[in-house]
Structures are given as C-alpha cells and as structure tokens.
C-alpha cells in the first residue's frame, strides 16, 4: 500500500469514526408492537447465552421513528403486504413439468407457520445448512420441476415475505449446535472480521455503536427477524443477503455473492443473535 493510499484509507476511517463519535446516541424506545391488534411481537428480550457482548437484544423496529413504526401496526398500512398477496397467488399456482403448486404439498400458506422461525437450518439429506431461499429453490427444481428463482429476485423475496408473514409472533429459534456448528462458527468469524478500506466489521456498527446515528439514521443491532424488509429508502422489499451485500460494499470491500457459503454462514450466525425475538417480517425500515 502506498503512502497516498494509506492516507486516503486513514482519512475515510476517521470520517466514519467521527460520525459515530459526535452523533447523538438514542437507545431503543419502549414502544410495544402489536400487529392488527392481535399479533404480539417480542421486540426486546434477554440475549441468548451464545452472544458474548450484549445483554439485551432489540428488534430494529425499536430504533425507528414513530412514523416509520406505524407502518407495521396494521397490515393495511404496511407496503410489504402487496407483495405478500402476490406470493399467495403464486403459492396456489401450478408451475413446472410436474404440474404442482406449493399448495399441492403444503396445503395453505398458513400451514407453514413457524418455518421462518427456524431457518437457516441443517438439512440432513443435503448435508448442509440451508436458508429458506435454498429450500424454496430445491422444492421448485426437484418437486415442481420448475425453473429456480434468482436468490434475491422479486419472486423469491416475495415468497420469503409470505412465509415470514404467516410466522409473525413466533419466537426465532435457530439451532446452532450439532452439524450446524461449524457453519455458525464461520458466520461468527465473518461478523467480527474487519473488511474494506474502512476496516469495519458488522460488530463495529451493530454491537459497538447501535443507537448512534450514521447517514441520518439510527444504527440498530442488525437483527434480521424483520426480513424481508420494505425500505423507505428504495421503496421495495429487500432480502437479507442483499442487505449483507450492501453492508460489505459500504466498507469499500469486494463483497460476497447472495447465496454464497459466506453469506449463508453469516445469516445463520446473525439469525441466532436474534433467538427469542419474534418473527416480524415483512417489516418496514428506513
């Protein structure tokens, strides 16, 4: 690295550190989230035992403004539900050479309540940790004999949003022991590794600085119980791996690809950090 490059990198790091240092800290509020007057969402609970540096975990909803929070209180106001309704139609539509729909094997989408809460999870037959996206494409390819979907494409994120919606209120309970442990350890290593010219890790923002403001928004703990999430910033549903990709890119590093082993491992680790919070997606964030 040349002296000029070191100076530029050092200056960039200084800018980020300065933003975090001088910004006003705002801890999570104490509002309660009840969706449609009946689905109670746990947005604060004791951190799971395997989390070392945080005593209490909070949903990202708790760091949002009252105006943003209000979008999730009623499905009529939640922009995400448009795509959930589209996915419901897809759920019941036969595709592929086998002439099957999702409902052909699973009945109504509400039969999948609780599934979102335990993914990613170890798949014994495949001998790997699988995300919901991986499992959906396996079903499409091998049971429906239909084309697979792009990992973070519209059809996929809509379907994951549907599976999240029918699981809202159920506690996240991702298993990290047994054969999944090595993948979890890999994800933990990625979480604490500094990347890019800015030399930032996930933990630098979401563990060390949650509640501080950066880029005109409060940093949350980076919990993913609310994904897929509708972002007011880009007015669409966003997949968790798309968010991972954006975060790594923002450190000015070469990022991993959605669906890569690295991001699967990171998702398993980050999901486990939210064990005990309710499935909340599709959520609304800035």
């Amino acid at each position: 690295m040349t002296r000029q490059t070191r100076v530029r990198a050092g200056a960039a790091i200084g800018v980020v550190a300065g933003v975090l240092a001088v910004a006003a800290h705002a801890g999570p509020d104490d509002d309660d989230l009840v969706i449609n007057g009946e689905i109670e969402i746990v947005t604060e609970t004791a951190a799971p035992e395997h989390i070392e540096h945080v005593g209490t975990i909070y949903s990202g909803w708790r760091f949002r403004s009252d105006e943003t929070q209000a979008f999730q209180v009623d499905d009529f106001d939640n922009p995400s539900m448009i795509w959930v309704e589209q996915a419901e139609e897809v759920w019941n539509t036969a595709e592929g050479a086998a002439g099957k729909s999702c409902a052909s094997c699973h009945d109504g989408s509400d039969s999948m309540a609780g599934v979102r809460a335990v993914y990613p999870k170890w798949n014994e037959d495949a001998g790997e940790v699988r995300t919901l996206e991986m499992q959906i494409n396996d079903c499409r390819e091998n049971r429906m004999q239909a084309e697979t979907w792009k990992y973070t494409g519209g059809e996929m994120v809509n379907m994951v949003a549907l599976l999240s919606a029918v699981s809202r209120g159920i506690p996240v309970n991702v298993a990290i022991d047994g054969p999944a442990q090595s993948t979890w350890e890999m994800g933990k290593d990625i979480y604490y590794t500094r990347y890019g010219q800015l030399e930032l890790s996930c933990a630098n923002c979401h563990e060390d600085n949650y509640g501080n403001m950066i880029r005109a928004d409060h940093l949350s703990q980076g919990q993913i119980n609310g994904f897929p999430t509708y972002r007011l910033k880009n007015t669409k549903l966003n997949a968790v791996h798309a968010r991972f990709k954006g975060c790594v890119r923002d450190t000015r590093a070469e990022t991993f690809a959605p669906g890569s082993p690295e991001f699967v491992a990171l998702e398993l680790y980050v999901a486990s950090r939210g064990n005990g919070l309710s499935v909340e997606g599709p959520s609304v964030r800035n």
Side-chain angles (χ1 to χ4, degrees):
M1 180 184 290
T2 66
R3 180 179 182 279
Q4 185 178 15
T5 301
R6 288 197 299 270
V7 169
R8 284 200 302 268
I13 295 168
V15 168
V16 173
V19 169
L20 293 175
V22 303
H25 179 87
D29 63 29
D30 58 357
D31 294 341
D32 294 325
L33 175 56
V34 181
I35 300 173
N36 300 333
E38 58 182 7
I39 306 174
E40 296 185 4
I41 302 295
V42 175
T43 58
E44 174 185 350
T45 190
E49 293 183 359
H50 56 267
I51 301 304
E52 300 169 346
H53 308 297
V54 176
T56 304
I57 55 174
Y58 302 95
S59 163
W61 183 84
R62 295 282 292 273
F63 295 87
R64 307 281 68 84
S65 67
D66 291 344
E67 292 79 11
T68 302
Q69 287 180 338
F71 282 113
Q72 280 187 242
V73 174
D74 193 308
D75 282 350
F76 185 80
D77 297 320
N78 188 335
S80 307
M81 302 312 292
I82 296 173
W83 290 286
V84 170
E85 292 174 3
Q86 291 179 5
E88 186 71 53
E89 293 182 11
V90 173
W91 179 271
N92 293 294
T93 300
E95 291 186 66
K100 292 183 177 181
S101 67
C102 302
S104 299
C105 293
H106 300 292
D107 297 323
S109 61
D110 57 357
S111 68
M112 305 299 284
V115 170
R116 174 68 177 83
V118 297
Y119 270 84
K121 65 180 292 187
W122 177 259
N123 185 295
E124 187 65 35
D125 292 338
E128 64 183 2
V129 170
R130 282 189 171 177
T131 63
L132 263 180
E133 288 87 346
M134 294 165 68
Q135 191 58 49
I136 288 169
N137 268 341
D138 180 79
C139 286
R140 289 186 60 80
E141 182 176 17
N142 296 310
R143 295 183 181 273
M144 299 170 66
Q145 297 178 37
E147 292 185 4
T148 57
W149 286 332
K150 180 181 177 182
Y151 198 94
T152 57
E155 298 93 343
M156 181 67 82
V157 72
N158 292 355
M159 186 58 68
V160 176
L162 172 62
L163 298 180
S164 295
V166 299
S167 292
R168 286 180 297 179
I170 297 173
V172 175
N173 186 25
V174 173
I176 63 173
D177 56 354
Q181 184 173 356
S182 60
T183 302
W184 183 84
E185 293 284 357
M186 177 182 174
K188 180 180 180 181
D189 183 64
I190 293 171
Y191 187 86
Y192 286 102
T193 296
R194 293 175 181 268
Y195 289 95
Q197 289 182 328
L198 299 185
E199 295 185 0
L200 290 173
S201 69
C202 306
N204 290 142
C205 286
H206 298 297
E207 191 170 276
D208 301 337
N209 283 289
Y210 68 85
N212 284 326
M213 287 195 73
I214 188 170
R215 292 183 175 176
D217 195 12
H218 284 107
L219 286 166
S220 72
Q221 287 185 335
Q223 303 291 355
I224 60 173
N225 60 304
F227 276 84
T229 183
Y230 179 91
R231 297 193 70 192
L232 300 174
K233 174 182 178 180
N234 59 12
T235 63
K236 69 175 185 178
L237 272 176
N238 294 261
V240 67
H241 284 203
R243 182 62 260 158
F244 287 167
K245 181 179 178 181
C247 282
V248 176
R249 181 195 60 227
D250 288 346
T251 70
R252 301 180 185 174
E254 290 291 332
T255 189
F256 305 110
S260 64
E262 292 85 0
F263 275 171
V264 171
L266 183 60
E267 181 179 349
L268 177 65
Y269 177 71
V270 175
S272 79
R273 292 177 66 91
N275 278 358
L277 296 174
S278 296
V279 174
E280 187 185 322
S283 63
V284 179
R285 301 287 188 261
N286 298 89

